[in-house]
Amino acid sequence: EVQLVESGGGLVQPGGSLRLSCAASGFMFSKYWMSWVRQAPGKGLEWVANIKEDGSDKYYVDSVKGRFTISRDNAKNSLYLQMNSLRAEDAAVYYCASDTTGKLNNAFDMWGQGTMVTVSS
Amino acid sequence: DIQMTQSPSTLSASIGDRVTITCRASQNINSWLAWYQQKPGKAPSLLIYKASNLGRGVPLRFSGSGSGTEFTLTISSLQCDDFATYYCQQYNSYSLFTFGPGTRVDIK
Protein backbone atom coordinates (compact mmCIF):
# COMPACT_ATOMS: atom_id res chain seq x y z
CA GLU A 1 0.00 0.00 0.00
CA VAL A 2 1.29 3.42 -0.97
CA GLN A 3 1.56 5.58 2.14
CA LEU A 4 2.99 8.88 3.38
CA VAL A 5 3.08 9.43 7.14
CA GLU A 6 4.11 12.78 8.60
CA SER A 7 5.39 13.36 12.12
CA GLY A 8 7.18 15.99 14.16
CA GLY A 9 4.50 18.64 14.50
CA GLY A 10 3.75 20.33 17.79
CA LEU A 11 3.70 23.56 19.75
CA VAL A 12 6.67 25.89 19.35
CA GLN A 13 7.33 29.46 20.43
CA PRO A 14 7.78 32.23 17.88
CA GLY A 15 11.39 32.21 16.71
CA GLY A 16 11.74 28.53 17.52
CA SER A 17 12.54 25.53 15.32
CA LEU A 18 10.87 22.28 14.40
CA ARG A 19 11.77 19.40 12.11
CA LEU A 20 9.02 17.57 10.28
CA SER A 21 9.45 14.09 8.84
CA CYS A 22 7.52 12.15 6.22
CA ALA A 23 7.96 8.38 5.97
CA ALA A 24 7.16 6.93 2.56
CA SER A 25 6.27 3.35 1.73
CA GLY A 26 4.79 1.30 -1.08
CA PHE A 27 6.43 3.13 -3.99
CA MET A 28 9.88 3.93 -5.37
CA PHE A 29 10.51 6.97 -3.19
CA SER A 30 13.93 7.69 -4.70
CA LYS A 31 12.45 8.12 -8.19
CA TYR A 32 10.08 11.03 -7.55
CA TRP A 33 9.98 14.68 -6.60
CA MET A 34 8.48 15.29 -3.15
CA SER A 35 6.68 18.35 -1.82
CA TRP A 36 5.47 19.91 1.40
CA VAL A 37 2.09 21.66 1.34
CA ARG A 38 0.53 23.49 4.28
CA GLN A 39 -2.93 24.63 5.29
CA ALA A 40 -3.49 27.23 7.99
CA PRO A 41 -6.63 26.73 10.11
CA GLY A 42 -9.70 27.54 8.05
CA LYS A 43 -7.59 28.58 5.05
CA GLY A 44 -6.64 27.17 1.67
CA LEU A 45 -3.72 25.06 0.53
CA GLU A 46 -0.27 26.57 0.11
CA TRP A 47 2.62 24.78 -1.57
CA VAL A 48 5.74 25.25 0.59
CA ALA A 49 8.69 23.48 -0.99
CA ASN A 50 9.78 20.61 -3.21
CA ILE A 51 12.89 18.54 -3.80
CA LYS A 52 14.15 16.58 -6.77
CA GLU A 53 14.58 12.80 -6.73
CA ASP A 54 18.29 12.97 -5.85
CA GLY A 55 18.04 16.10 -3.70
CA SER A 56 20.02 18.21 -6.17
CA ASP A 57 17.24 20.77 -6.78
CA LYS A 58 15.07 22.42 -4.14
CA TYR A 59 12.50 25.18 -4.42
CA TYR A 60 10.57 27.20 -1.86
CA VAL A 61 7.67 29.61 -1.67
CA ASP A 62 8.98 33.12 -1.02
CA SER A 63 7.52 33.34 2.48
CA VAL A 64 9.76 30.52 3.81
CA LYS A 65 12.98 31.11 1.86
CA GLY A 66 15.96 31.36 4.18
CA ARG A 67 14.01 29.88 7.10
CA PHE A 68 12.90 26.42 5.94
CA THR A 69 15.05 23.66 4.44
CA ILE A 70 13.70 20.64 2.63
CA SER A 71 15.80 17.48 2.48
CA ARG A 72 15.44 13.77 1.87
CA ASP A 73 17.15 10.49 2.72
CA ASN A 74 16.43 8.01 -0.04
CA ALA A 75 18.04 5.19 1.93
CA LYS A 76 15.44 5.73 4.65
CA ASN A 77 12.56 6.60 2.29
CA SER A 78 12.12 9.80 4.24
CA LEU A 79 11.43 13.46 3.53
CA TYR A 80 12.17 16.26 5.98
CA LEU A 81 11.34 19.92 6.53
CA GLN A 82 13.58 21.86 8.90
CA MET A 83 11.70 24.96 10.01
CA ASN A 84 13.63 27.75 11.74
CA SER A 85 12.65 31.24 12.90
CA LEU A 86 9.03 30.18 13.07
CA ARG A 87 6.34 32.83 12.93
CA ALA A 88 2.68 32.84 13.92
CA GLU A 89 1.75 32.73 10.23
CA ASP A 90 3.59 29.41 9.83
CA ALA A 91 0.98 27.68 12.00
CA ALA A 92 -0.74 25.10 9.83
CA VAL A 93 -1.25 21.46 9.04
CA TYR A 94 1.75 20.37 7.00
CA TYR A 95 1.28 17.64 4.40
CA CYS A 96 3.86 15.81 2.36
CA ALA A 97 2.66 14.99 -1.12
CA SER A 98 3.90 13.47 -4.36
CA ASP A 99 3.16 12.00 -7.74
CA THR A 100 3.95 8.43 -6.76
CA THR A 101 3.40 6.99 -10.22
CA GLY A 102 5.57 9.17 -12.43
CA LYS A 103 2.65 9.30 -14.84
CA LEU A 104 0.73 12.30 -13.55
CA ASN A 105 3.21 14.98 -14.59
CA ASN A 106 3.72 15.83 -10.91
CA ALA A 107 0.13 16.27 -9.83
CA PHE A 108 -0.12 14.92 -6.29
CA ASP A 109 -1.83 11.55 -6.23
CA MET A 110 -0.68 10.79 -2.71
CA TRP A 111 -0.88 12.90 0.43
CA GLY A 112 -0.04 12.16 4.01
CA GLN A 113 -2.52 12.66 6.83
CA GLY A 114 -0.79 15.87 7.89
CA THR A 115 0.98 17.05 11.03
CA MET A 116 -0.10 20.15 12.93
CA VAL A 117 2.33 22.95 13.73
CA THR A 118 1.26 25.54 16.29
CA VAL A 119 3.35 28.66 16.82
CA SER A 120 2.46 30.47 20.02
CA SER A 121 4.02 31.86 23.16
CA ASP B 1 4.93 34.50 -10.05
CA ILE B 2 1.84 32.73 -11.36
CA GLN B 3 -1.35 33.63 -9.50
CA MET B 4 -4.43 31.40 -9.53
CA THR B 5 -8.00 32.54 -9.07
CA GLN B 6 -11.16 30.48 -8.73
CA SER B 7 -14.81 31.35 -9.15
CA PRO B 8 -17.13 31.19 -7.46
CA SER B 9 -15.67 31.07 -3.97
CA THR B 10 -18.81 29.37 -2.69
CA LEU B 11 -21.45 27.49 -4.62
CA SER B 12 -24.79 26.25 -3.32
CA ALA B 13 -26.30 23.41 -5.31
CA SER B 14 -28.74 20.52 -5.09
CA ILE B 15 -28.30 16.81 -5.66
CA GLY B 16 -28.38 16.13 -9.38
CA ASP B 17 -27.28 19.65 -10.40
CA ARG B 18 -24.59 20.22 -12.98
CA VAL B 19 -21.82 22.22 -11.34
CA THR B 20 -19.00 24.16 -12.98
CA ILE B 21 -16.01 25.75 -11.25
CA THR B 22 -13.61 28.04 -13.09
CA CYS B 23 -9.90 28.45 -12.44
CA ARG B 24 -7.77 31.14 -14.08
CA ALA B 25 -4.01 31.47 -14.20
CA SER B 26 -2.24 34.82 -14.45
CA GLN B 27 -0.06 33.50 -17.27
CA ASN B 28 0.02 30.58 -19.66
CA ILE B 29 0.45 27.25 -17.87
CA ASN B 30 -0.32 25.10 -20.92
CA SER B 31 -2.23 22.12 -19.50
CA TRP B 32 -0.29 21.81 -16.25
CA LEU B 33 -3.31 22.05 -14.01
CA ALA B 34 -4.73 19.70 -11.41
CA TRP B 35 -7.96 19.67 -9.43
CA TYR B 36 -8.30 18.36 -5.88
CA GLN B 37 -11.24 17.69 -3.60
CA GLN B 38 -10.91 18.22 0.14
CA LYS B 39 -13.36 17.32 2.89
CA PRO B 40 -13.14 18.78 6.40
CA GLY B 41 -10.34 17.29 8.47
CA LYS B 42 -8.99 15.26 5.57
CA ALA B 43 -6.10 15.54 3.17
CA PRO B 44 -6.92 16.62 -0.38
CA SER B 45 -7.45 13.95 -3.03
CA LEU B 46 -6.60 14.20 -6.71
CA LEU B 47 -9.50 14.47 -9.16
CA ILE B 48 -7.97 15.68 -12.43
CA TYR B 49 -4.40 16.03 -13.71
CA LYS B 50 -3.03 17.72 -16.81
CA ALA B 51 -6.25 19.70 -17.10
CA SER B 52 -8.50 16.93 -18.38
CA ASN B 53 -7.21 13.54 -17.22
CA LEU B 54 -9.26 11.72 -14.61
CA GLY B 55 -7.37 10.49 -11.57
CA ARG B 56 -7.47 6.83 -10.64
CA GLY B 57 -10.77 5.79 -9.14
CA VAL B 58 -12.41 9.18 -9.69
CA PRO B 59 -16.08 8.92 -10.75
CA LEU B 60 -16.88 9.72 -14.37
CA ARG B 61 -19.22 12.55 -13.36
CA PHE B 62 -16.08 14.64 -12.82
CA SER B 63 -14.42 16.20 -15.86
CA GLY B 64 -11.88 18.90 -16.54
CA SER B 65 -11.19 21.09 -19.53
CA GLY B 66 -9.16 24.09 -20.63
CA SER B 67 -5.64 25.10 -21.46
CA GLY B 68 -3.47 28.18 -21.31
CA THR B 69 -5.02 30.40 -18.66
CA GLU B 70 -8.63 29.27 -18.25
CA PHE B 71 -9.81 25.94 -16.90
CA THR B 72 -13.04 24.38 -15.68
CA LEU B 73 -14.01 21.52 -13.42
CA THR B 74 -17.48 20.11 -14.08
CA ILE B 75 -19.52 17.72 -11.98
CA SER B 76 -22.23 16.44 -14.31
CA SER B 77 -24.69 15.36 -11.62
CA LEU B 78 -23.88 16.39 -8.06
CA GLN B 79 -23.98 13.61 -5.49
CA CYS B 80 -24.04 13.73 -1.67
CA ASP B 81 -20.39 12.74 -1.52
CA ASP B 82 -19.39 15.75 -3.63
CA PHE B 83 -20.08 18.44 -1.04
CA ALA B 84 -16.54 19.57 -0.34
CA THR B 85 -13.99 22.24 -1.19
CA TYR B 86 -12.27 22.10 -4.58
CA TYR B 87 -8.82 23.50 -5.36
CA CYS B 88 -7.03 23.97 -8.63
CA GLN B 89 -3.23 23.83 -8.73
CA GLN B 90 -0.77 24.84 -11.41
CA TYR B 91 2.48 22.93 -11.78
CA ASN B 92 3.91 24.53 -14.88
CA SER B 93 7.34 24.82 -13.31
CA TYR B 94 9.05 22.86 -10.54
CA SER B 95 10.20 26.13 -9.03
CA LEU B 96 6.72 27.21 -7.96
CA PHE B 97 3.51 25.26 -7.62
CA THR B 98 0.48 27.39 -6.81
CA PHE B 99 -2.98 26.52 -5.54
CA GLY B 100 -6.14 28.46 -6.18
CA PRO B 101 -8.05 29.83 -3.17
CA GLY B 102 -10.67 27.10 -3.30
CA THR B 103 -14.37 26.76 -4.07
CA ARG B 104 -16.69 25.40 -1.40
CA VAL B 105 -19.66 23.44 -2.69
CA ASP B 106 -22.46 23.19 -0.18
CA ILE B 107 -26.05 22.09 -0.07
CA LYS B 108 -28.69 24.53 -1.27
Side-chain angles (χ1 to χ4, degrees):
Chain A
E1 179 191 6
V2 178
Q3 204 170 9
L4 296 172
V5 179
E6 302 94 338
S7 60
L11 173 64
V12 61
Q13 292 186 340
S17 297
L18 213 53
R19 189 196 195 205
L20 306 183
S21 299
C22 171
S25 59
F27 68 102
M28 295 289 287
F29 177 80
S30 62
K31 284 193 169 185
Y32 305 116
W33 284 75
M34 295 294 298
S35 284
W36 286 99
V37 176
R38 68 184 178 183
Q39 187 169 37
K43 302 297 184 183
L45 302 169
E46 180 181 40
W47 172 82
V48 174
N50 63 6
I51 185 169
K52 196 176 180 180
E53 300 94 329
D54 61 0
S56 60
D57 286 334
K58 305 173 185 181
Y59 300 101
Y60 302 89
V61 69
D62 282 350
S63 59
V64 309
K65 283 179 182 175
R67 301 188 299 122
F68 290 12
T69 302
I70 190 171
S71 62
R72 65 192 297 162
D73 185 337
N74 287 342
K76 295 183 178 180
N77 286 347
S78 292
L79 175 72
Y80 306 102
L81 186 67
Q82 177 66 43
M83 304 186 295
N84 298 332
S85 303
L86 281 161
R87 305 167 180 167
E89 54 265 35
D90 295 319
V93 174
Y94 284 74
Y95 297 100
C96 60
S98 180
D99 169 4
T100 63
T101 70
K103 299 177 182 178
L104 306 178
N105 308 109
N106 287 294
F108 301 146
D109 70 308
M110 184 55 55
W111 297 67
Q113 85 287 354
T115 188
M116 182 73 202
V117 173
T118 303
V119 183
S120 175
S121 54
Chain B
D1 291 357
I2 300 174
Q3 309 299 322
M4 307 300 291
T5 59
Q6 286 182 236
S7 59
S9 56
T10 305
L11 186 159
S12 295
S14 301
I15 301 298
D17 283 354
R18 182 181 182 86
V19 167
T20 299
I21 299 168
T22 298
C23 175
R24 291 185 175 87
S26 60
Q27 56 187 271
N28 181 16
I29 58 169
N30 299 295
S31 295
W32 302 118
L33 187 102
W35 290 96
Y36 300 89
Q37 178 192 69
Q38 188 181 33
K39 296 181 179 179
K42 301 292 187 182
S45 62
L46 179 67
L47 295 173
I48 302 286
Y49 67 96
K50 207 177 177 186
S52 60
N53 294 272
L54 208 60
R56 187 165 69 176
V58 176
L60 294 176
R61 62 181 180 273
F62 290 93
S63 63
S65 64
S67 66
T69 61
E70 186 155 336
F71 304 84
T72 59
L73 172 70
T74 300
I75 309 172
S76 61
S77 178
L78 196 68
Q79 302 300 304
C80 286
D81 194 47
D82 303 337
F83 292 101
T85 300
Y86 294 85
Y87 295 93
C88 62
Q89 179 211 10
Q90 70 82 17
Y91 50 104
N92 185 59
S93 167
Y94 283 110
S95 62
L96 184 65
F97 293 171
T98 316
F99 288 91
T103 295
R104 192 179 80 225
V105 177
D106 59 25
I107 302 172
K108 184 186 282 185

